[in-house]
Amino acid sequence: DSGVTQTPKHLITATGQRVTLRCSPRSGDLSVYWYQQSLDQGLQFLIQYYNGEERAKGNILERFSAQQFPDLHSELNLSSLELGDSALYFCASSQGRLGEQFFGPGTRLTVL
Amino acid sequence: AQSVSQHNHHVILSEAASLELGCNYSYGGTVNLFWYVQYPGQHLQLLLKYFSGDPLVKGIKGFEAEFIKSKFSFNLRKPSVQWSDTAEYFCAVNRGGNTPLVFGKGTRLSVIA
């Protein structure tokens, strides 16, 4: 158990819908990262928040957005879903300068 | 932009065989290097990491990796694999501190009895 929690574990929805994925980082970790894992693209970085502020952006679509709340939990919002958005979405957190990241169990999103 | 190459897509080994998985990265500056493992149906777990110092790092479950700066490589090794090592292995790099990880495509390891 990494100490990072994600909900829900599985999500099945239809094209065009909107979903919200939730992540709670390890206690004391200020940074939260979101990654997408798919068969064709592998593991790709989406977005990072540090203590409530957006810190870095990767290959995140405009239909996707995220935020980090004062209690440091983060939410990833995916809208106008397409079949190709089906993937595993991982959240990770880290604490300090060494950059070691701890991953949550992931949310498996299936878009039908 | 940083990139990470893992040369082997799928490796099949018999139990007790030795393992070496290749990883090369492209970035000229200071980097942190990681190997993560993903067992079937599970999340990513950190096997080992290199930040600085001794280029030979030891991780959990008998794994080790060697950082060769001149070759931009960080290969993962294990002298004798077990069936329970069947998993996907990811090499990753970041620029230190609170920066995102760049992952390789992963190597699927299948260990057969």
Side-chain angles (χ1 to χ4, degrees), chain A residues 30-35 45-60 66-68 74 76 92-96 99 101, chain B residues 94-101:
Chain A
L30 299 178
S31 262
V32 169
Y33 309 79
W34 286 96
Y35 294 88
F45 165 67
L46 295 178
I47 196 164
Q48 176 196 2
Y49 276 79
Y50 179 83
N51 202 20
E53 303 279 330
E54 183 185 300
R55 182 79 163 243
K57 238 174 179 176
N59 298 323
I60 187 165
Q67 52 186 326
Q68 186 178 28
S74 177
L76 179 67
S93 72
S94 69
Q95 188 175 50
Q101 295 180 22
Chain B
N94 70 6
R95 286 181 285 175
N98 288 300
T99 59
L101 289 167

Side-chain angles (χ1 to χ4, degrees), chain A residues 2 31 33 35 37 40-41 43 45 48 50 56 88 90 94-101 103-105, chain B residues 32 34 36 38 41-46 49 51 88 90 94 96-105:
Chain A
S2 66
S31 262
Y33 309 79
Y35 294 88
Q37 186 179 32
D40 50 345
Q41 298 291 324
L43 265 162
F45 165 67
Q48 176 196 2
Y50 179 83
L88 258 172
F90 287 107
S94 69
Q95 188 175 50
R97 60 181 182 83
L98 295 181
E100 180 177 338
Q101 295 180 22
F103 282 77
Chain B
N32 294 334
F34 307 85
Y36 281 87
Q38 187 176 30
Q42 295 190 27
H43 63 286
L44 289 153
Q45 299 173 42
L46 183 67
K49 56 188 184 276
F51 297 133
E88 187 133 20
F90 294 92
N94 70 6
N98 288 300
T99 59
L101 289 167
V102 176
F103 284 90
K105 293 283 190 190

Side-chain angles (χ1 to χ4, degrees), chain B residues 15-88:
Chain B
E15 276 193 311
S18 65
L19 169 73
E20 180 157 3
L21 301 182
C23 172
N24 287 90
Y25 64 94
S26 66
Y27 183 66
T30 302
V31 293
N32 294 334
L33 296 153
F34 307 85
W35 275 97
Y36 281 87
V37 61
Q38 187 176 30
Y39 297 103
Q42 295 190 27
H43 63 286
L44 289 153
Q45 299 173 42
L46 183 67
L47 267 182
L48 47 77
K49 56 188 184 276
Y50 174 80
F51 297 133
S52 64
D54 189 345
L56 186 62
V57 292
K58 294 195 184 300
I60 60 170
K61 306 187 185 201
F63 286 91
E64 65 179 31
E66 186 176 12
F67 169 54
I68 303 179
K69 191 174 181 179
S70 60
K71 295 185 178 180
F72 296 90
S73 71
F74 190 55
N75 292 353
L76 181 71
R77 299 195 292 247
K78 185 171 184 179
S80 176
V81 295
Q82 302 171 322
W83 179 81
S84 57
D85 293 324
T86 295
E88 187 133 20

